[in-house]
Amino acid sequence: MKIQKNISLKPYTSFGIDAKAAFFAGFTSLTELEELVDYTKSPLLILGGGSNLLFTQDFQGLIARNEINGIQLIKEDANFYYINAAAGENWHRFVLYCLDNNYFGLENLSLIPGNVGASPLQNIGAYGVEIKDVFHSLEAYHLTDKTVHQFEAKDCEFGYRESVFKNKFRNQFVILNVTFRLRKNSDLHIAYGAIEQELAKMHIKDITARSISEAIIRIRTSKLPDPKVIGNAGSFFKNPVISTQLFEKIQMQYPEIPGYPLQNGQIKTAAGWLIEQCGWKGYRKGDAGCYEKQALVLVNYGKAKGAEINELAGSIIESVAKKFNVQLEREVNII
Ligand code: FAD
Ligand code: EPU
């Protein structure tokens, strides 16, 4: 295992920010991870695909990239397959592997960048499905007690873009592998957003998990910037959950405000819409910007510094609070 020193992180994150890491190493097994943990006295950051991170400064410690690979069917029962994937597996390739093998349930999560290991961290979600809907368990290494712990769904405290690993256990565990409970017979979710319209455009009559995956890939490609071309980390903010009173107050002036009522009586509204109303969509200062096709996505056109992107995020938060009295919260992990 090679430990590199003072390297640029530009190729390792989807934002393409040229911050430096004092030390950098990839690990391909638990043993290698243990060696790294013993070696380092400095702060440690686990890296997956780098698609939900913004470095606002150089990192003075060790960046350890999880490169543990492997996928296996561990058991099956009447209705489900239990598929275990190592943390270093690329998420979208894993989704396609499951589709190829008729393991159903991940199709709506097609084309989300990043690796399997980070997927439970923020309970990744898209098009009406979240990881928690297909999650069975995971194994994670505790950095201080140096043992492997097993987590079931109830232990993970999954919420909208939340889990224990993003909150009370932040930076304490390294997720090693995740087991998913995937259906033998497909249970298709097409109600969300533009899926049905896209399937109609594709002239699909016989809807399958594969065709849903293809429709979602087309929708995502049409509105989200490809990180290989324009640096970004997907939605920069979470969609805010607000009270019905506040929602109705805004709605009186802006009848078109999107709103999704939640079971707890509150309403989730669209951060992208709020940001667009504040005039930020397409805004650019230097190489930091707010994407022209999706205002929720902040972008690096080339040489932006992480601090500049984060400063833009701050200005957006301020203007949305001032205009709508709604507090936006960053979804991206700021380092
Ligand atoms: P990284 O960015 O490498 O890491 C993210 C965080 O997890 C960091 O804090 C890191 O320290 C920690 N971490 C990583 N691996 C581990 C591990 N094995 N153990 C412990 N901690 C770990 N997200 C969605 O939910 N839905 C979407 O639709 C979506 N669309 C996106 C579209 C684009 C174009 C982009 C760029 C991003 C999008 N995202 C979306 C965000 C991102 O893809 C997810 O958050 C993804 O799960 C991040 O995975 P990663 O491997 O890149 O994590
Ligand atoms: N909207 C605008 N202007 C914009 C952007 C959006 O008015 O510039 C409006 C849209 O018209 C629509 C609503 O906002 O009425 C929602 O937009 P969209 O369907 O594009 O989804 P989103 O809420 O912006 C969320 C997730 C995405 C996920 C999609 C699909 C969050 C923070 N983001 O985006 O996840 O892929 O739904 O399910 O929940 C991510 O987390 O990184 C991410 C990309």
Side-chain angles (χ1 to χ4, degrees), residues 127-158:
Y127 297 93
V129 173
E130 291 179 327
I131 275 288
K132 70 169 173 51
D133 305 324
V134 285
F135 178 91
H136 177 264
S137 58
L138 65 75
E139 284 187 320
Y141 176 78
H142 193 272
L143 287 165
T144 317
D145 80 17
K146 300 191 176 176
T147 60
V148 175
H149 296 230
Q150 170 103 7
F151 288 78
E152 320 239 309
K154 63 175 172 19
D155 309 318
C156 295
E157 297 175 18
F158 288 126

XYZ file of all heavy atoms in Angstrom, residues 127-158:
268
model
N -36.222 9.876 -7.336
C -37.402 9.380 -8.056
C -38.265 8.427 -7.224
O -38.676 7.370 -7.659
C -36.965 8.794 -9.420
C -36.363 9.908 -10.224
C -34.997 10.157 -10.205
C -37.182 10.812 -10.900
C -34.455 11.264 -10.830
C -36.641 11.921 -11.535
C -35.290 12.137 -11.491
O -34.771 13.244 -12.107
N -38.490 8.858 -5.958
C -39.462 8.153 -5.117
C -38.914 6.972 -4.338
O -39.666 6.276 -3.652
N -37.611 6.701 -4.434
C -37.026 5.560 -3.704
C -35.801 6.052 -2.920
O -35.068 6.911 -3.396
C -36.611 4.433 -4.690
C -35.849 3.327 -3.983
C -37.843 3.861 -5.384
N -35.631 5.501 -1.727
C -34.423 5.794 -0.942
C -33.774 4.460 -0.573
O -34.438 3.423 -0.537
C -34.784 6.536 0.359
C -35.294 7.947 0.125
C -35.671 8.663 1.425
O -36.139 7.990 2.370
O -35.507 9.872 1.478
N -32.480 4.527 -0.235
C -31.749 3.332 0.194
C -32.493 2.566 1.286
O -32.504 1.346 1.310
C -30.356 3.758 0.720
C -29.398 3.868 -0.429
C -29.812 2.821 1.734
C -29.026 2.527 -0.970
N -33.098 3.301 2.211
C -33.744 2.628 3.346
C -34.824 1.634 2.879
O -35.116 0.679 3.580
C -34.329 3.644 4.323
C -35.535 4.400 3.836
C -36.172 5.168 4.999
C -37.293 6.073 4.547
N -38.335 5.461 3.701
N -35.378 1.832 1.695
C -36.430 0.941 1.180
C -35.882 -0.431 0.773
O -36.652 -1.389 0.639
C -37.126 1.576 -0.044
C -37.679 2.962 0.268
O -38.151 3.146 1.402
O -37.615 3.848 -0.604
N -34.578 -0.512 0.520
C -33.994 -1.763 0.031
C -32.826 -2.228 0.916
O -32.176 -3.217 0.621
C -33.469 -1.587 -1.426
C -34.589 -1.547 -2.428
C -32.593 -0.345 -1.541
N -32.623 -1.493 2.005
C -31.473 -1.769 2.866
C -31.757 -2.962 3.779
O -32.835 -3.070 4.343
C -31.194 -0.513 3.702
C -30.058 -0.648 4.679
C -28.766 -0.303 4.310
C -30.289 -1.100 5.971
C -27.711 -0.418 5.219
C -29.242 -1.218 6.875
C -27.957 -0.870 6.503
N -30.776 -3.834 3.956
C -30.914 -4.917 4.931
C -29.976 -4.714 6.114
O -30.411 -4.673 7.256
C -30.663 -6.276 4.259
C -30.716 -7.417 5.218
N -29.585 -7.952 5.804
C -31.753 -8.092 5.746
C -29.942 -8.919 6.638
N -31.245 -9.030 6.622
N -28.683 -4.518 5.849
C -27.718 -4.354 6.946
C -26.387 -3.854 6.378
O -26.222 -3.822 5.155
C -27.496 -5.691 7.667
O -27.043 -6.645 6.732
N -25.489 -3.484 7.285
C -24.137 -3.135 6.817
C -23.123 -3.491 7.894
O -23.477 -3.674 9.066
C -24.050 -1.661 6.420
C -24.221 -0.540 7.453
C -23.015 -0.342 8.362
C -24.496 0.777 6.726
N -21.870 -3.581 7.453
C -20.769 -3.779 8.404
C -19.875 -2.550 8.358
O -19.578 -2.030 7.271
C -19.944 -5.010 8.014
C -20.639 -6.300 8.375
C -19.749 -7.510 8.152
O -19.013 -7.547 7.147
O -19.784 -8.415 8.988
N -19.486 -2.081 9.548
C -18.651 -0.884 9.609
C -17.593 -1.051 10.683
O -17.838 -1.639 11.741
C -19.517 0.342 9.902
N -16.412 -0.517 10.383
C -15.260 -0.610 11.289
C -15.215 0.640 12.151
O -15.265 1.758 11.633
C -13.996 -0.728 10.429
C -12.707 -0.737 11.194
C -12.269 -1.880 11.842
C -11.903 0.394 11.231
C -11.066 -1.894 12.539
C -10.692 0.391 11.921
C -10.290 -0.758 12.581
O -9.099 -0.763 13.251
N -15.134 0.449 13.458
C -15.088 1.598 14.371
C -13.626 2.045 14.534
O -12.766 1.248 14.900
C -15.692 1.227 15.731
C -15.949 2.429 16.574
N -14.996 2.958 17.405
C -17.034 3.232 16.681
C -15.492 4.032 18.006
N -16.724 4.225 17.571
N -13.370 3.314 14.259
C -11.989 3.793 14.207
C -11.307 3.826 15.571
O -10.085 3.813 15.647
C -11.951 5.197 13.568
C -12.192 5.200 12.060
C -12.500 6.595 11.547
C -10.982 4.623 11.326
N -12.094 3.868 16.637
C -11.465 3.914 17.961
C -11.430 2.555 18.633
O -10.379 2.115 19.111
C -12.205 4.927 18.866
O -12.475 6.079 18.099
C -11.365 5.315 20.065
N -12.582 1.839 18.644
C -12.515 0.529 19.331
C -11.949 -0.565 18.418
O -11.691 -1.688 18.847
C -13.865 0.162 19.970
C -14.898 -0.401 19.007
O -14.540 -0.820 17.900
O -16.091 -0.428 19.366
N -11.768 -0.206 17.132
C -11.074 -1.073 16.166
C -11.723 -2.452 15.999
O -11.025 -3.464 15.858
C -9.582 -1.203 16.526
C -8.895 0.153 16.526
C -7.413 0.049 16.615
C -6.800 1.435 16.503
N -5.377 1.471 16.667
N -13.066 -2.464 16.068
C -13.763 -3.717 15.767
C -14.841 -3.443 14.717
O -15.207 -2.291 14.470
C -14.448 -4.318 17.019
O -15.398 -3.359 17.505
C -13.466 -4.673 18.114
N -15.319 -4.546 14.135
C -16.347 -4.417 13.101
C -17.726 -4.557 13.743
O -17.969 -5.501 14.502
C -16.137 -5.487 12.002
C -17.283 -5.441 10.985
C -14.795 -5.275 11.306
N -18.610 -3.597 13.446
C -19.963 -3.604 14.002
C -20.963 -3.893 12.890
O -20.755 -3.499 11.751
C -20.324 -2.232 14.590
C -19.477 -1.826 15.745
N -20.011 -1.368 16.929
C -18.127 -1.807 15.925
C -19.028 -1.076 17.772
N -17.883 -1.332 17.186
N -22.054 -4.530 13.273
C -23.134 -4.823 12.310
C -24.275 -3.841 12.586
O -24.653 -3.654 13.742
C -23.589 -6.267 12.567
C -24.832 -6.687 11.841
C -24.508 -7.572 10.629
O -23.365 -7.951 10.428
N -25.532 -7.873 9.847
N -24.813 -3.228 11.561
C -25.953 -2.312 11.700
C -27.130 -2.840 10.892
O -26.975 -3.144 9.715
C -25.619 -0.913 11.155
C -24.680 -0.128 12.005
C -23.320 -0.380 11.981
C -25.160 0.882 12.826
C -22.446 0.356 12.770
C -24.290 1.628 13.618
C -22.938 1.356 13.591
N -28.295 -2.910 11.530
C -29.529 -3.218 10.802
C -30.200 -1.889 10.493
O -29.796 -0.846 11.027
C -30.445 -4.054 11.681
C -29.699 -5.086 12.482
C -30.143 -6.475 12.212
O -31.361 -6.697 12.275
O -29.259 -7.322 11.946
N -31.274 -1.931 9.715
C -31.931 -0.683 9.295
C -32.301 0.188 10.502
O -32.065 1.389 10.509
C -33.151 -1.002 8.458
N -32.849 -0.461 11.550
C -33.317 0.320 12.710
C -32.168 1.056 13.421
O -32.375 2.079 14.055
C -34.103 -0.567 13.692
C -33.271 -1.662 14.303
C -34.048 -2.441 15.357
C -33.368 -3.673 15.885
N -31.956 -3.916 15.770
N -30.965 0.539 13.287
C -29.805 1.169 13.946
C -29.297 2.385 13.166
O -28.508 3.169 13.693
C -28.623 0.187 14.048
C -29.020 -1.136 14.655
O -29.777 -1.111 15.630
O -28.586 -2.198 14.154
N -29.704 2.507 11.916
C -29.109 3.539 11.048
C -29.841 4.876 11.132
O -29.331 5.887 10.652
C -29.097 3.065 9.598
S -28.032 1.640 9.342
N -31.034 4.900 11.734
C -31.819 6.140 11.876
C -31.891 6.906 10.556
O -31.572 8.084 10.466
C -31.229 7.020 12.995
C -31.312 6.339 14.352
C -30.617 7.125 15.479
O -30.358 8.330 15.315
O -30.351 6.496 16.524
N -32.339 6.190 9.519
C -32.428 6.828 8.209
C -33.511 7.892 8.192
O -34.595 7.714 8.737
C -32.787 5.783 7.135
C -31.666 4.826 6.806
C -31.870 3.450 6.871
C -30.418 5.298 6.419
C -30.857 2.561 6.548
C -29.392 4.411 6.106
C -29.608 3.043 6.159
